[in-house]
Amino acid sequence: MAKNNEVIKTPVWLNNPVVVQILGICSALAVTAKLKPAIVMGLSVTIITALSNVVISLLRKTIPNRIRIIVQLVVVAALVTIVSEILKAFAYDVSVQLSVYIGLIITNCILMGRLEAFAMQNTPWASLLDGIGNGLGYAMILIIVAFVRELFGSGALLGFQIIPQSWYVTNGGWYLNNGLMIMPPMALILVGCIIWVHRAKNEELQEK
Amino acid sequence: MAAKKFKCTICGYVHEGDQAPDKCPVCGAPKDAFEEIAEGVQAPAKKGLNTNSNVYTIIYAAVMVIIVAFLLVFVSSSLKERQNNNVIQDTKSQILASLNLAPADVASAYNDYIQMDWLMKEDGTLVKNENTFSTSYKSEFNAGRLHIFQADVDGATKYIIPMNGLGLWGAIWGYIALDADKSTVYGVYFSHASETPGLGGEIATEYFQKRFAGKTVVKDGQIVLNVTKYGTAKDASCQVDGVSGATITSKGVNSMISTVLESYKPFLLSK
């Protein structure tokens, strides 16, 4: 088995869940119009993937093979529900902001993918690292896409105006926000560009 | 079974063939990262329980469901009071937001500003709401209980009407604060359950809500306040530009305003 160090590094770059495994694309389209929700979503997925990986890894020897997907789903759904309930009670503002994404976390294919492919065969510690690594790999792509989309689509980053107001056509300047950037298709195009760069840098991933 | 199966230990890709591929087509791992999956060969008998038996599977599922159910019930019931309290505070802060107020201490600010929680009767007169503070004005509206909050901002009377409607993906709601003439918009607040961030989600931002201030709601006995497609507002006294790129959400805001305010007409038209 690969060393722990590699378990956490591989999914961030060489085996990135979004650009190599092509998992979690749907949420990458939905939450990357602005940088802030992208960061929050990336962190939430990292935490939930790591936790559910550990739980499934602890249970892996007892889970009946025929209902393993159901068991994984129940664990993920229960974890997400508990986290959401705790947020509602102790950090209501955050839970309001996250309301849309909580559901998206349960359906995120990265979670089920990692549980099935990794946590079912590996020790809790390695699974924890794998969960964190995959979560970070996912968060990294989300943040890159959201950075570009918010900067060129809204002229801002994290809500702070970056492109000077005086440049805008409405204020007598020459600049216009790119409306296509905040549309979902642009996220797909940007992910495509990232995959292109990523493949170009990693020759072993190129299909002959 | 002629073909053997090989599984990549890095990404879990399963290859079928006589031997492992030179390179994993999914993650690019080398050949030695593959291990053969024993197919058709019975796994060596384990000590203890047979985890593949029907009885074990059923008992496992039942126990799991019971544990998870109790866990969720416990978490939910032990946090319920705090959550309800948070929802009440949040509703109150939304009502205050329509008055362009964002106080740190919502509970005391609400008591300072909001003087009465009225219900409108069919003839437009107001009676006091005897029930406790509601947090769902959608069900109140559907039940025919039309709330009007009377607020006092620096000596001037304002009326706040809760609104509910549908956006593109889900519910949208808001509060509209009117001046004492029951026709001029003092401020609005909108929020939404699941509109797209950056598009429909923009209805919850201040710059969009600022566009409503000073608009006329009632003219010649009709509700005239409306939201148009971005850039097509002609009559600045009662038309508001929608959000660019979010036509359906803007239409939802428009129909929410007209539907709800239509029901409040007896009050709005009464002197």
Side-chain angles (χ1 to χ4, degrees), chain A residues 35-51:
Chain A
L35 197 49
K36 196 174 163 195
I39 293 173
V40 172
M41 182 71 180
L43 279 180
S44 323
V45 167
T46 307
I47 293 167
I48 300 284
T49 316
L51 285 180

Side-chain angles (χ1 to χ4, degrees), chain A residues 15 20 33-34 62-67 71 74 78 82 85 88-90 92 100-101 117 121 182 204-205, chain B residues 7 11 23 26-27 51-52 54 56-57 60 64 68 71-72 76 79 82-83 86-87 90 193 197-199 202:
Chain A
N15 189 22
V20 181
K34 293 271 160 78
T62 69
I63 296 174
N65 200 31
R66 275 175 292 176
I67 58 164
V71 175
V74 169
I82 290 172
E85 292 276 328
K88 261 191 212 152
F90 296 101
Y92 191 79
V100 197
Y101 311 119
Q121 286 98 27
I182 47 177
E204 60 268 43
L205 292 181
Chain B
K7 187 170 184 180
C11 66
K23 205 174 71 181
V26 177
C27 67
T51 57
N52 282 325
N54 287 344
Y56 181 82
T57 306
Y60 192 94
M64 176 184 73
V68 169
L71 196 63
L72 292 183
S76 160
L79 298 176
R82 282 190 83 101
Q83 291 176 352
N86 281 336
V87 172
D90 185 52
L199 294 170
E202 297 288 289

